[in-house]
Short mmCIF file of all heavy atoms in Angstrom, two decimals:
data_model
loop_
_atom_site.label_atom_id
_atom_site.label_comp_id
_atom_site.label_asym_id
_atom_site.label_seq_id
_atom_site.Cartn_x
_atom_site.Cartn_y
_atom_site.Cartn_z
N LEU A 448 -23.95 -22.61 -8.09
CA LEU A 448 -23.99 -21.59 -7.04
C LEU A 448 -25.03 -21.89 -5.98
O LEU A 448 -25.03 -21.26 -4.93
CB LEU A 448 -24.29 -20.21 -7.66
CG LEU A 448 -23.28 -19.69 -8.69
CD1 LEU A 448 -23.76 -18.37 -9.27
CD2 LEU A 448 -21.91 -19.53 -8.06
N GLU A 449 -25.91 -22.84 -6.25
CA GLU A 449 -26.97 -23.16 -5.29
C GLU A 449 -26.38 -23.84 -4.06
O GLU A 449 -25.49 -24.69 -4.14
CB GLU A 449 -28.00 -24.07 -5.95
CG GLU A 449 -28.75 -23.40 -7.09
CD GLU A 449 -29.75 -24.34 -7.75
OE1 GLU A 449 -29.85 -25.50 -7.27
OE2 GLU A 449 -30.40 -23.95 -8.72
N GLY A 450 -26.89 -23.45 -2.92
CA GLY A 450 -26.44 -24.06 -1.68
C GLY A 450 -25.07 -23.61 -1.23
O GLY A 450 -24.45 -24.25 -0.35
N ALA A 451 -24.54 -22.53 -1.83
CA ALA A 451 -23.22 -22.04 -1.43
C ALA A 451 -23.26 -21.55 0.02
O ALA A 451 -24.22 -20.90 0.44
CB ALA A 451 -22.79 -20.90 -2.35
N SER A 452 -22.24 -21.89 0.76
CA SER A 452 -22.19 -21.49 2.18
C SER A 452 -21.81 -20.02 2.29
O SER A 452 -20.97 -19.52 1.55
CB SER A 452 -21.18 -22.35 2.93
OG SER A 452 -19.89 -22.23 2.37
N ASP A 453 -22.45 -19.34 3.23
CA ASP A 453 -22.14 -17.95 3.48
C ASP A 453 -20.83 -17.86 4.26
O ASP A 453 -20.12 -18.86 4.44
CB ASP A 453 -23.28 -17.28 4.25
CG ASP A 453 -23.47 -15.82 3.85
OD1 ASP A 453 -22.49 -15.19 3.43
OD2 ASP A 453 -24.60 -15.30 3.98
N LEU A 454 -20.48 -16.68 4.74
CA LEU A 454 -19.19 -16.47 5.39
C LEU A 454 -19.02 -17.35 6.62
O LEU A 454 -19.96 -17.51 7.42
CB LEU A 454 -19.06 -15.00 5.81
CG LEU A 454 -19.16 -13.94 4.71
CD1 LEU A 454 -19.00 -12.56 5.31
CD2 LEU A 454 -18.13 -14.18 3.64
N ASP A 455 -17.82 -17.92 6.75
CA ASP A 455 -17.52 -18.64 7.99
C ASP A 455 -16.96 -17.67 9.01
O ASP A 455 -16.81 -16.46 8.74
CB ASP A 455 -16.55 -19.81 7.73
CG ASP A 455 -15.21 -19.36 7.15
OD1 ASP A 455 -14.81 -18.20 7.39
OD2 ASP A 455 -14.57 -20.17 6.44
N LEU A 456 -16.61 -18.13 10.20
CA LEU A 456 -16.18 -17.26 11.29
C LEU A 456 -14.92 -16.47 10.91
O LEU A 456 -14.84 -15.26 11.18
CB LEU A 456 -15.92 -18.08 12.55
CG LEU A 456 -15.42 -17.30 13.77
CD1 LEU A 456 -16.43 -16.25 14.19
CD2 LEU A 456 -15.10 -18.25 14.92
N ARG A 457 -13.96 -17.14 10.31
CA ARG A 457 -12.71 -16.47 9.94
C ARG A 457 -12.97 -15.35 8.93
O ARG A 457 -12.43 -14.24 9.06
CB ARG A 457 -11.75 -17.51 9.35
CG ARG A 457 -10.43 -16.98 8.87
CD ARG A 457 -9.54 -18.14 8.45
NE ARG A 457 -10.18 -19.04 7.51
CZ ARG A 457 -10.23 -18.83 6.19
NH1 ARG A 457 -9.66 -17.75 5.68
NH2 ARG A 457 -10.83 -19.70 5.40
N GLU A 458 -13.82 -15.61 7.95
CA GLU A 458 -14.15 -14.60 6.95
C GLU A 458 -14.98 -13.46 7.56
O GLU A 458 -14.81 -12.30 7.22
CB GLU A 458 -14.91 -15.25 5.80
CG GLU A 458 -14.05 -16.24 5.00
CD GLU A 458 -14.87 -17.18 4.14
OE1 GLU A 458 -16.08 -17.32 4.38
OE2 GLU A 458 -14.29 -17.81 3.23
N TRP A 459 -15.83 -13.84 8.50
CA TRP A 459 -16.63 -12.85 9.23
C TRP A 459 -15.71 -11.86 9.94
O TRP A 459 -15.91 -10.64 9.90
CB TRP A 459 -17.52 -13.56 10.25
CG TRP A 459 -18.99 -13.49 9.99
CD1 TRP A 459 -19.82 -14.51 9.63
CD2 TRP A 459 -19.82 -12.33 10.09
NE1 TRP A 459 -21.10 -14.07 9.48
CE2 TRP A 459 -21.13 -12.73 9.77
CE3 TRP A 459 -19.59 -11.00 10.41
CZ2 TRP A 459 -22.20 -11.84 9.76
CZ3 TRP A 459 -20.66 -10.11 10.40
CH2 TRP A 459 -21.94 -10.54 10.07
N ILE A 460 -14.72 -12.39 10.64
CA ILE A 460 -13.80 -11.53 11.40
C ILE A 460 -13.06 -10.58 10.46
O ILE A 460 -13.01 -9.36 10.71
CB ILE A 460 -12.79 -12.40 12.19
CG1 ILE A 460 -13.53 -13.18 13.29
CG2 ILE A 460 -11.69 -11.53 12.80
CD1 ILE A 460 -12.66 -14.20 13.99
N ASN A 461 -12.48 -11.12 9.40
CA ASN A 461 -11.71 -10.29 8.48
C ASN A 461 -12.55 -9.18 7.87
O ASN A 461 -12.20 -8.00 7.92
CB ASN A 461 -11.11 -11.16 7.37
CG ASN A 461 -9.83 -11.84 7.78
OD1 ASN A 461 -9.26 -11.54 8.83
ND2 ASN A 461 -9.35 -12.76 6.96
N LEU A 462 -13.67 -9.55 7.25
CA LEU A 462 -14.48 -8.56 6.55
C LEU A 462 -15.24 -7.67 7.52
O LEU A 462 -15.45 -6.48 7.24
CB LEU A 462 -15.45 -9.27 5.60
CG LEU A 462 -14.79 -10.02 4.44
CD1 LEU A 462 -15.84 -10.75 3.60
CD2 LEU A 462 -14.00 -9.06 3.55
N GLY A 463 -15.65 -8.22 8.66
CA GLY A 463 -16.38 -7.42 9.64
C GLY A 463 -15.54 -6.30 10.22
O GLY A 463 -16.00 -5.15 10.33
N VAL A 464 -14.31 -6.59 10.58
CA VAL A 464 -13.42 -5.56 11.13
C VAL A 464 -13.15 -4.47 10.10
O VAL A 464 -13.18 -3.27 10.40
CB VAL A 464 -12.09 -6.20 11.61
CG1 VAL A 464 -11.07 -5.13 11.95
CG2 VAL A 464 -12.34 -7.08 12.82
N LEU A 465 -12.90 -4.88 8.87
CA LEU A 465 -12.66 -3.90 7.81
C LEU A 465 -13.90 -3.04 7.55
O LEU A 465 -13.79 -1.83 7.31
CB LEU A 465 -12.23 -4.61 6.53
CG LEU A 465 -10.82 -5.19 6.55
CD1 LEU A 465 -10.61 -6.14 5.37
CD2 LEU A 465 -9.78 -4.08 6.53
N ALA A 466 -15.08 -3.66 7.60
CA ALA A 466 -16.32 -2.91 7.38
C ALA A 466 -16.51 -1.84 8.45
O ALA A 466 -16.89 -0.70 8.15
CB ALA A 466 -17.51 -3.87 7.36
N ILE A 467 -16.25 -2.20 9.68
CA ILE A 467 -16.39 -1.24 10.78
C ILE A 467 -15.46 -0.05 10.57
O ILE A 467 -15.85 1.12 10.73
CB ILE A 467 -16.10 -1.92 12.13
CG1 ILE A 467 -17.21 -2.93 12.46
CG2 ILE A 467 -15.97 -0.90 13.26
CD1 ILE A 467 -16.91 -3.82 13.64
N LEU A 468 -14.21 -0.32 10.21
CA LEU A 468 -13.24 0.76 10.01
C LEU A 468 -13.59 1.64 8.81
O LEU A 468 -13.43 2.87 8.87
CB LEU A 468 -11.84 0.17 9.83
CG LEU A 468 -11.15 -0.31 11.11
CD1 LEU A 468 -9.84 -0.99 10.77
CD2 LEU A 468 -10.92 0.83 12.07
N VAL A 469 -14.05 1.02 7.74
CA VAL A 469 -14.41 1.80 6.54
C VAL A 469 -15.55 2.77 6.85
O VAL A 469 -15.52 3.94 6.43
CB VAL A 469 -14.80 0.84 5.39
CG1 VAL A 469 -15.51 1.60 4.27
CG2 VAL A 469 -13.56 0.15 4.85
N VAL A 470 -16.54 2.33 7.61
CA VAL A 470 -17.65 3.21 7.98
C VAL A 470 -17.21 4.24 9.01
O VAL A 470 -17.53 5.43 8.91
CB VAL A 470 -18.84 2.38 8.51
CG1 VAL A 470 -19.94 3.29 9.03
CG2 VAL A 470 -19.39 1.48 7.40
N TRP A 471 -16.44 3.79 10.01
CA TRP A 471 -15.98 4.69 11.07
C TRP A 471 -15.16 5.83 10.50
O TRP A 471 -15.36 7.00 10.85
CB TRP A 471 -15.18 3.90 12.10
CG TRP A 471 -14.77 4.72 13.29
CD1 TRP A 471 -15.58 5.15 14.31
CD2 TRP A 471 -13.45 5.22 13.59
NE1 TRP A 471 -14.84 5.88 15.22
CE2 TRP A 471 -13.54 5.94 14.80
CE3 TRP A 471 -12.22 5.11 12.94
CZ2 TRP A 471 -12.44 6.55 15.38
CZ3 TRP A 471 -11.11 5.73 13.52
CH2 TRP A 471 -11.23 6.43 14.72
N LEU A 472 -14.23 5.52 9.59
CA LEU A 472 -13.40 6.56 8.98
C LEU A 472 -14.18 7.43 8.01
O LEU A 472 -13.73 8.51 7.64
CB LEU A 472 -12.20 5.93 8.27
CG LEU A 472 -11.14 5.30 9.17
CD1 LEU A 472 -10.05 4.63 8.34
CD2 LEU A 472 -10.52 6.34 10.09
#
Side-chain angles (χ1 to χ4, degrees):
L448 300 176
E449 295 179 2
S452 58
D453 214 333
L454 301 180
D455 60 27
L456 178 61
R457 178 174 52 84
E458 294 163 342
W459 247 111
I460 293 172
N461 277 350
L462 294 177
V464 170
L465 287 167
I467 291 170
L468 283 174
V469 166
V470 174
W471 185 73
L472 291 176

